[in-house]
C-alpha cells in the first residue's frame, strides 16, 4: 500500500475517527485532559505501527500528563481499536503531542494585535 494511495488515506481516516471516539468516550484516566483531540494519524503501510498526533488545550503540565496517560492506556486503546475496526493487524500506537493548533491560535492573536495597532495609528494620522 503506497503512502499516498486512496486506501492508505482512508485507513488513516478510519483509525483517526475511532481513536478520537475511544479517547473521548471510553478512557477514564484522570491524567488525560478533557480538551484532548486527535489531530492526525500516520499508519505504516504494513499496519504494524501508528503515530498518533494529539493536541491538548492547556498548559505544559496538562500536555505531559495527557501524554503519560495515553501511553499507559495504549494497550487498552489498541484492544478497543481492534474490536471496532476489522484489520489484519492492529497497529502499535505511539502518541505525540502536537502543538500546531496552539501555535496557529497564538499567531492569529498576534496578527489581530498588529492589525488593530495599524488601524489605531492610521486613525491618529487622519485626525
Amino acid at each position: 500500500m503506497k503512502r499516498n494511495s486512496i486506501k492508505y488515506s482512508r485507513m488513516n481516516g478510519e483509525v483517526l475517527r475511532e481513536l478520537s471516539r475511544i479517547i473521548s468516550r471510553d478512557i477514564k484516566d484522570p491524567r488525560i485532559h478533557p480538551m484532548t483531540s486527535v489531530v492526525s494519524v500516520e499508519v505504516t503501510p504494513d499496519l504494524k505501527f501508528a503515530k498518533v498526533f494529539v493536541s491538548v488545550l492547556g498548559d505544559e503540565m496538562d500536555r505531559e500528563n495527557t501524554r503519560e496517560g495515553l501511553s499507559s492506556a495504549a494497550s487498552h486503546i489498541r484492544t478497543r481499536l481492534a474490536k471496532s475496526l476489522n484489520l489484519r493487524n492492529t497497529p502499535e500506537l505511539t502518541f505525540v503531542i502536537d502543538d500546531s493548533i496552539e501555535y496557529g491560535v497564538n499567531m492569529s492573536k498576534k496578527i489581530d494585535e498588529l492589525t488593530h495597532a495599524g488601524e489605531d495609528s492610521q486613525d491618529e494620522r487622519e485626525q
Side-chain angles (χ1 to χ4, degrees):
M1 181 168 34
K2 295 181 183 177
R3 282 197 177 262
N4 57 359
S5 69
I6 293 171
K7 184 178 179 184
Y8 182 74
S9 299
R10 192 177 302 144
M11 178 63 60
N12 285 338
E14 285 294 319
V15 172
L16 182 135
R17 191 175 307 115
E18 280 301 312
L19 284 175
S20 296
R21 186 190 63 74
I22 291 168
I23 290 172
S24 66
R25 295 184 186 155
D26 296 343
I27 304 300
K28 304 296 185 212
D29 192 333
R31 292 178 291 182
I32 299 174
H33 195 270
M35 295 298 290
T36 301
S37 60
V38 179
V39 177
S40 67
V41 175
E42 292 178 2
V43 180
T44 57
D46 62 354
L47 303 175
K48 298 279 186 188
F49 300 97
K51 193 180 289 187
V52 182
F53 295 92
V54 178
S55 177
V56 179
L57 187 63
D59 61 359
E60 190 62 36
M61 184 63 98
D62 291 335
R63 287 187 200 102
E64 186 60 31
N65 287 340
T66 299
R67 190 191 60 73
E68 289 174 4
L70 288 172
S71 295
S72 69
S75 60
H76 176 69
I77 295 171
R78 185 178 182 197
T79 303
R80 292 280 193 163
L81 188 65
K83 289 179 181 178
S84 61
L85 294 179
N86 188 14
L87 298 175
R88 181 172 13 120
N89 296 320
T90 304
E92 185 176 319
L93 305 172
T94 304
F95 293 98
V96 178
I97 298 297
D98 185 13
D99 295 330
S100 61
I101 293 175
E102 184 177 350
Y103 177 77
V105 168
N106 288 337
M107 291 306 284
S108 179
K109 285 180 184 177
K110 289 180 182 180
I111 291 171
D112 288 343
E113 289 172 4
L114 286 174
T115 325
H116 290 302
E119 289 173 356
D120 292 342
S121 65
Q122 186 176 11
D123 289 342
E124 290 175 5
R125 278 188 244 141
E126 290 176 358
Q127 294 176 355

